[in-house]
Amino acid sequence: MGKRIKKNRRRNKQMSVSAKRTLNMGGIIAILFVMVIFNMLAKTRAETIQKEIGEKTRTLERLEEERIREDSRWERMKSPESVNAALLSHGLKMNTPIDAQIVRMGGNRLPLKGQLSVKRAMAAKSRNMVRR
Amino acid sequence: MTRFRLQAALLVLFALYSGQRLVRSHIDPDVDDIDYAFERELKARRGSIYDAAGYPLVKSVPIWEYRLDPVALTNRVVRRRGEPPRPPSAIVKTISNALGLDFKETLAKAANYKNRFQFLARSSDSDAHRTIADSRLVSGVAILDKQERQYLHGTLMSHVLGSINSEDEASSGLELKYDKFLSGHSGRIQGMKDAHGRELYDKRKISIDPIAGADIHLTLDHNIQYEAEKELKAGIDEFGAGAGWAIVMDAKTGAVLAMASYPAFDPLAFGSASDRAKLNRCVGYTFEPGSVMKVITAASAFNEGFVRPGTTYDTRRDDPNYYRLPGDGSHKWEPRMTVADAIVHSSNIVIGKLGCDFGQERLYNYMRAFGFGAKTGIELPGEEVGILHHWKNWDKATWSRAPIGQAVTVTPIQLVSAYQAIANDGVRMRPHLVEKIVSSKGEIIYQYRPEVVSRPISATAARAIRQVMKPVASKAGTARRAAIRGYSVAGKTGTAQKSMGRRGYAPGLYCASFCGMVPADDPAIVMLVSLDFDAVRPFHQGGNSSAVIFRRLATEILKYLMVPADRPDELLDEEV
């Protein structure tokens, strides 16, 4: 009787040890599985973000290149030779103003004396005053 | 028990495999994908060149190069369901319209199946690119991304800016001189591609961004440069010269505002340009300056107190005290003439005698102090030194020839620099073109600081010689056509015979110059205009040709720079 009980106890003990081992192993595997799944999800997310970044980088580069091209086109259009050519195509010619058309200002923000433009303006003003 | 062990073994294997994949995916992800590996060099964008006001003169612009593959012309056009296929002629029509090509020529290229990837065009037109890249309209056109160096003002200032060849190697001008700053540093990408050849961004191993080249900011003003080149070209055509040059310099700082040399070349066709056109005469050409040198002789003598403007000289050529005096090209003959009059009327005999009396050693030292016989150090390649032999090597004839600008050769930039010293009260500043160099990150790598090169004469002597030079541009002087309404001009003409080396001077061929400064009392600009006549022409004198160009150009520049008139009374007489 006593021997049998002892045997059963040993057997039960062995069985409980196996169950614990299986449980531990299962837990590790489950953790590994979760890790793998998490890794896959993270990787997929990272890839999506990288693709997005890649696309946005390409768009930025494209727009930057577009800006450089447009800047260049605009600079060409407003160069003195292009402006002159454009005016000539409409029968116009650009000249620097003659002195009668220039008003030179002094440091006090008043026209400098003795200028033809100022003299003409004064003369015109006095004529108008006479007419009145 | 056996079943349990089997399960455990399988789980361990699974765990090991998963662990190994995890480790590999993080440590060496591409070990199995060597076939899809690629490495690419990222070319750095070349730096731009700007003028003094910040306007771009040269830029590297991304463009597209289109190449036609006749084999793939039709079979890859993507059509919607029910849409009829596009015939080759329709595709070619789309291509030729978009790129502005001749339809028949493009069609002929499309029919030539033996020759694949034929060059079609290079273009920066985005609309054209969208059309060509539309797979529903066009196929069989390979599009390559390229960088093109664009010279925004065409041939304007081509000698200064220089050029780069088709291999992106600098050939001349500032492009060559500052190549190491402009070119930048290339980047590199090492990574993976998918089966379609698209890069997998998450598999990039190495990613080194290129560093764009630095930008160069010049002292040149593109508006002044345009006027200079326009007036020079007009003058050359009007007076029948073969070549010419003009330099405009800031009188106070030595900054070059314009530098024009004719003939010019197209920077995009540097390889096919003639050597004559490629030569920047402003720095790479030497010539006997002729009478413009008389001012240097007189200024040196004034500085030493050796003579005064009123000191008189006998104008006889057969003077036994002097050895073989030069023939007199003076516009006025008097038995005795003051030094001031000798400048105004350009007397060879008087200035020749003055030079002989002044002494070769002193004159040589002054010429060196004015910058002759040495490079000015301007930031352009190919600068010439000119010929100024040591005074001990001068023969007896040179004693009287050097003071009048013969037996010495100078570059135009040396001459302008010497006159700048006179304009700046005797202080010669280093002539310069580059104001600053700015890196692609906006850091200033180099900033020009005004540098005094020499002080050949005192301020008193400089003012005295400027007063003497004033009447040159008057009715009494040799350059009445250089007179500018409202402004006093101090300048000097030069009509130098062209040397043929040991064979003497070429009969009838001259180099006509006018070098001057405006306003005379407080100069804002110093300017040299020279015409090189390679045929006999009626208006070959500096006073008749170069002086005219000087007046036209200076008038425009003074207005543009808003320099106040120092003779406003003259403007009151102007009729509108």
Side-chain angles (χ1 to χ4, degrees):
Chain A
M1 179 70 186
K3 272 185 185 176
R4 201 170 186 177
I5 292 164
K6 269 186 184 175
K7 199 178 177 183
N8 283 342
R9 270 187 195 158
R10 211 181 297 138
R11 193 174 156 201
N12 289 343
K13 202 178 176 182
Q14 275 176 354
M15 280 178 78
S16 71
V17 169
S18 302
K20 271 184 189 169
R21 274 184 191 161
T22 313
L23 205 68
N24 288 346
M25 194 65 84
I28 291 164
I29 288 161
I31 288 165
L32 274 173
F33 183 74
V34 168
M35 277 172 68
V36 168
I37 297 293
F38 187 78
N39 179 263
M40 281 167 70
L41 285 172
K43 207 175 167 189
T44 312
R45 178 82 186 125
E47 274 174 11
T48 314
I49 291 169
Q50 275 172 351
K51 268 185 190 169
E52 235 173 78
I53 291 168
E55 273 165 24
K56 285 190 173 157
T57 310
R58 270 175 289 180
T59 310
L60 184 71
E61 279 170 9
R62 188 173 52 77
L63 290 172
E64 177 64 16
E65 287 180 355
E66 191 66 37
R67 186 191 63 77
I68 294 170
R69 274 192 288 271
E70 285 304 311
D71 270 358
S72 167
R73 216 152 64 92
W74 172 236
E75 295 298 343
R76 269 173 192 267
M77 280 169 72
K78 65 175 189 175
S79 67
E81 54 274 25
S82 302
V83 172
N84 271 353
L87 286 171
L88 279 173
S89 69
H90 291 95
L92 298 166
K93 193 170 181 280
M94 195 163 61
N95 283 317
T96 43
I98 58 168
D99 286 295
Q101 296 167 320
I102 299 172
V103 180
R104 292 190 175 85
M105 309 294 278
N108 53 2
R109 296 187 180 184
L110 288 171
L112 293 172
K113 283 179 184 171
Q115 295 183 75
L116 190 59
S117 53
V118 178
K119 190 184 167 192
R120 280 165 57 84
M122 295 298 282
K125 197 177 171 185
S126 63
R127 274 202 303 275
N128 288 344
M129 283 171 76
V130 169
R131 273 177 205 161
R132 279 173 199 167
Chain B
M1 193 62 193
T2 315
R3 214 175 96 193
F4 166 74
R5 280 184 182 165
L6 190 69
Q7 279 178 350
L10 279 172
L11 283 168
V12 168
L13 277 174
F14 174 72
L16 280 173
Y17 176 74
S18 305
Q20 181 252 2
R21 290 304 299 173
L22 274 171
V23 169
R24 288 186 79 161
S25 69
H26 284 97
I27 294 171
D28 192 8
D30 306 321
V31 73
D32 300 328
D33 306 321
I34 288 165
D35 289 347
Y36 294 107
F38 82 99
E39 190 171 342
R40 188 155 54 100
E41 189 190 350
L42 301 173
K43 286 196 84 176
R45 188 180 61 79
R46 198 172 168 83
S48 305
I49 303 178
Y50 296 88
D51 84 339
Y55 286 99
L57 306 170
V58 189
K59 259 187 167 183
S60 279
V61 178
I63 57 147
W64 298 284
E65 187 175 299
Y66 301 98
R67 287 179 175 269
L68 183 69
D69 181 10
V71 176
L73 190 65
T74 53
N75 59 0
R76 286 182 190 161
V77 173
V78 179
R79 309 296 288 169
R80 289 203 187 99
R81 250 184 214 176
E83 274 187 332
R86 294 200 85 202
S89 61
I91 296 172
V92 170
K93 186 80 183 165
T94 309
I95 295 168
S96 56
N97 282 349
L99 298 175
L101 302 171
D102 183 65
F103 173 67
K104 283 181 182 171
E105 276 180 23
T106 318
L107 200 61
K109 281 181 180 176
N112 184 6
Y113 284 89
K114 284 182 185 172
N115 200 354
R116 299 185 72 177
F117 300 105
Q118 300 166 67
F119 176 79
L120 279 178
R122 281 199 188 104
S123 164
S124 60
D125 187 350
S126 306
D127 295 333
H129 178 71
R130 269 191 285 277
T131 308
I132 301 290
D134 190 344
S135 57
R136 288 176 300 132
L137 294 171
V138 174
S139 76
V141 177
I143 303 172
L144 309 172
D145 290 320
K146 296 253 175 178
Q147 291 269 332
E148 186 182 69
R149 199 73 172 148
Q150 289 191 352
Y151 296 86
L152 303 174
H153 297 266
T155 59
L156 201 72
M157 54 192 115
S158 56
H159 292 103
V160 175
L161 299 175
S163 66
I164 58 169
N165 63 18
S166 55
E167 303 294 321
D168 283 352
E169 288 164 350
S171 309
S172 66
L174 290 168
E175 294 270 27
L176 179 62
K177 183 82 177 180
Y178 288 95
D179 188 41
K180 66 176 179 181
F181 289 103
L182 287 165
S183 55
H185 297 280
S186 304
R188 194 157 62 97
I189 287 179
Q190 210 179 61
M192 306 293 300
K193 281 181 178 177
D194 66 10
H196 298 286
R198 288 174 302 208
E199 192 196 347
L200 300 165
Y201 284 90
D202 59 320
K203 306 237 171 166
R204 226 180 231 191
K205 278 185 189 171
I206 297 172
S207 177
I208 303 167
D209 287 334
I211 300 169
D215 296 330
I216 296 179
H217 294 253
L218 306 182
T219 57
L220 290 183
D221 185 300
H222 78 282
N223 286 311
I224 298 177
Q225 181 74 24
Y226 173 68
E227 287 299 328
E229 292 201 18
K230 192 180 77 176
E231 294 297 348
L232 181 66
K233 173 76 173 61
I236 284 170
D237 291 344
E238 186 179 340
F239 300 111
W245 52 87
I247 300 175
V248 185
M249 186 181 273
D250 186 309
K252 300 285 185 284
T253 63
V256 177
L257 304 177
M259 182 181 271
S261 176
Y262 185 86
F265 65 90
D266 181 358
L268 296 175
F270 181 77
S272 58
S274 66
D275 289 344
R276 201 168 160 268
K278 284 177 190 170
L279 177 66
N280 182 357
R281 287 159 206 276
C282 295
V283 296
Y285 182 73
T286 59
F287 66 110
E288 283 195 356
S291 297
V292 280
M293 189 62 99
K294 288 173 184 167
V295 167
I296 306 299
T297 308
S300 309
F302 289 170
N303 191 57
E304 289 283 318
F306 185 74
V307 288
R308 283 186 295 182
T311 307
T312 55
Y313 270 85
D314 184 352
T315 55
R316 276 187 305 139
R317 190 185 178 194
D318 55 346
D319 195 325
N321 297 322
Y322 302 96
Y323 176 78
R324 283 179 61 193
L325 285 166
D328 204 358
S330 175
H331 291 237
K332 191 179 175 185
W333 189 86
E334 287 168 1
R336 290 192 75 80
M337 197 181 266
T338 63
V339 174
D341 279 348
I343 294 290
V344 174
H345 303 298
S346 201
S347 169
N348 290 344
I349 292 173
V350 171
I351 302 297
K353 284 182 177 178
L354 169 62
C356 290
D357 294 347
F358 188 52
Q360 294 75 52
E361 187 179 359
R362 272 200 294 191
L363 185 60
Y364 171 82
N365 288 336
Y366 270 100
M367 283 180 170
R368 292 287 297 186
F370 271 108
F372 299 112
K375 289 185 179 182
T376 62
I378 193 157
E379 306 95 331
L380 283 171
E383 187 185 358
E384 285 289 334
V385 180
I387 298 170
L388 177 61
H389 294 300
H390 192 269
W391 68 273
K392 283 181 180 171
N393 299 327
W394 289 7
D395 59 20
K396 274 190 169 182
T398 306
W399 293 2
S400 59
R401 297 305 192 277
I404 62 162
Q406 290 182 338
V408 291
T409 66
V410 303
T411 60
I413 192 71
Q414 283 176 345
L415 196 55
V416 178
S417 179
Y419 270 62
Q420 182 272 326
I422 293 169
N424 195 28
D425 287 345
V427 181
R428 192 164 78 88
M429 308 298 288
R430 183 172 297 288
H432 65 282
L433 267 170
V434 177
E435 188 60 40
K436 61 180 174 183
I437 301 175
V438 182
S439 77
S440 55
K441 290 177 183 168
E443 296 160 11
I444 295 174
I445 302 170
Y446 165 82
Q447 173 76 56
Y448 176 79
R449 300 261 175 265
E451 185 188 341
V452 176
V453 185
S454 60
R455 292 173 190 268
I457 53 171
S458 67
T460 314
R463 280 195 281 271
I465 192 68
R466 286 208 302 267
Q467 291 304 317
V468 168
M469 288 158 75
K470 266 187 185 178
V472 172
S474 70
K475 283 179 184 171
T478 53
R480 63 184 175 86
R481 288 184 175 86
I484 302 167
R485 192 189 292 270
Y487 295 90
S488 57
V489 176
K492 182 72 191 83
T493 52
T495 309
Q497 291 172 288
K498 285 176 74 173
S499 171
M500 297 191 297
R502 292 188 177 185
R503 289 179 292 152
Y505 289 100
L509 302 186
Y510 296 91
C511 190
S513 305
F514 186 83
C515 194
M517 55 204 75
V518 206
D521 293 325
D522 184 18
I525 54 166
V526 180
M527 207 160 87
L528 167 70
V529 177
S530 297
L531 296 180
D532 192 352
F533 291 94
D534 46 18
V536 179
R537 302 287 179 201
F539 295 102
H540 63 262
Q541 300 95 340
N544 285 338
S545 52
S546 301
V548 178
I549 303 170
F550 178 94
R551 187 196 69 232
R552 290 174 186 161
L553 183 53
T555 306
E556 298 295 315
I557 294 171
L558 291 167
K559 282 177 183 170
Y560 176 73
L561 295 176
M562 292 192 283
V563 177
D566 63 340
R567 289 178 177 170
D569 295 347
E570 288 178 6
L571 300 175
L572 297 176
D573 304 330
E574 190 178 0
E575 288 297 325
V576 182

